[in-house]
Amino acid sequence: PEFTALQKEHAFLSAQNEALYKKKALLSARLQEAKEKSAKSPDELGHELEAISKKLADEKAEYDSIDLNYTLAKARMDKFEDDLKKILSEKINRRMATLLREGESFVFDEEFELCFCDQKSVLPLISAGGGVITEMGVLSFRLALSEVLGSIHFPMIFDDSLAALSPEQAKPFYDSLRETCSQFFLITSSEELCEICRETANFVEL
């Protein structure tokens, strides 16, 4: 909600900024035109120039105020996005620690797309080669986002998402599911994963 509000404020200030810029250009043209009207008496010309100059100064002050608000709103929005990226990345990398090798991590690019980073390159997760890293990276992102937004109160469905993991690797993810989701359905053919789930009192096997 805060990010959406900042986006709306950013768009509103941008529109005001553009409108004031056009007003400024119009008044500058009128000022130049007034200067060129030599047929008028010096007093008449002076009064007209004074009125236009005052209006231009008022418009400039309003423009500067809106421009400042625009800059501050953009800075708040950028900080909000950077903070959110940092929080999500930390949660994802902490959950993926048992699967990542030294020098590997997950980061977000400027477009807020989750990327896989190793010592050689930074690639969008969907282009990182697939397999366990990609699948578990997506799952970790879903869980991290759920944690940031608050515990979710509707069922989540995971289709054999943990099947490729060893019991030691799968248990932290399963524990995260229990902590984050009020209810979830885990579809799996792995007997080892079922055994991990049976350790939970509220587990129901279908």
Side-chain angles (χ1 to χ4, degrees):
E2 181 182 354
F3 185 72
T4 301
L6 287 172
Q7 282 186 313
K8 291 181 179 178
E9 183 180 359
H10 182 277
F12 174 73
L13 290 172
S14 296
Q16 283 191 310
N17 192 25
E18 180 67 22
L20 283 174
Y21 181 81
K22 291 180 179 179
K23 281 186 179 181
K24 179 182 176 182
L26 178 61
L27 287 172
S28 296
R30 288 180 60 191
L31 180 61
Q32 183 62 32
E33 181 182 354
K35 288 180 179 179
E36 295 172 355
K37 289 182 178 178
S38 58
K40 291 187 177 181
S41 68
D43 288 342
E44 290 177 326
L45 186 58
H47 289 315
E48 184 174 343
L49 286 173
E50 184 179 351
I52 292 176
S53 296
K54 183 179 184 304
K55 188 172 184 180
L56 183 59
D58 292 341
E59 293 287 352
K60 184 179 185 304
E62 185 179 357
Y63 168 85
D64 290 342
S65 175
I66 291 177
D67 186 56
L68 176 61
N69 289 333
Y70 166 84
T71 301
L72 293 175
K74 186 176 185 304
R76 290 197 303 270
M77 186 167 64
D78 289 344
K79 184 178 185 305
F80 177 87
E81 183 174 309
D82 289 341
D83 289 346
L84 182 58
K85 287 179 180 178
K86 181 179 179 181
I87 292 171
L88 290 174
S89 295
E90 289 175 350
K91 288 180 176 293
I92 293 170
N93 288 318
R94 186 165 57 249
R95 187 169 280 118
M96 293 285 293
T98 59
L99 299 178
L100 296 175
R101 293 174 293 186
E102 184 177 355
E104 296 179 339
S105 63
F106 288 92
V107 296
F108 288 90
D109 63 13
E110 293 183 357
E111 303 300 324
F112 220 101
E113 182 175 4
L114 183 61
C115 299
F116 177 69
C117 174
D118 59 21
Q119 296 178 342
K120 297 180 180 179
S121 60
V122 178
L123 295 172
L125 188 58
I126 58 175
S127 306
V132 175
I133 291 294
T134 298
E135 188 169 354
M136 300 314 299
V138 172
L139 175 58
S140 296
F141 176 48
R142 292 175 64 186
L143 292 173
L145 192 58
S146 298
E147 289 174 353
V148 170
L149 297 177
S151 296
I152 52 179
H153 301 290
F154 52 86
M156 296 184 72
I157 300 175
F158 300 93
D159 186 2
D160 238 354
S161 300
L162 310 181
L165 303 182
S166 68
E168 293 75 16
Q169 294 171 329
K171 193 173 187 309
F173 284 95
Y174 177 68
D175 291 340
S176 295
L177 290 176
R178 287 167 39 198
E179 295 170 2
T180 306
C181 309
S182 57
Q183 184 182 45
F184 65 90
F185 294 93
L186 187 61
I187 303 172
T188 182
S189 58
S190 170
E191 181 59 33
E192 292 178 328
L193 182 57
C194 287
E195 188 60 36
I196 294 175
C197 296
R198 291 188 188 102
E199 298 174 3
T200 305
N202 61 354
F203 171 72
V204 177
E205 187 171 358
L206 302 178

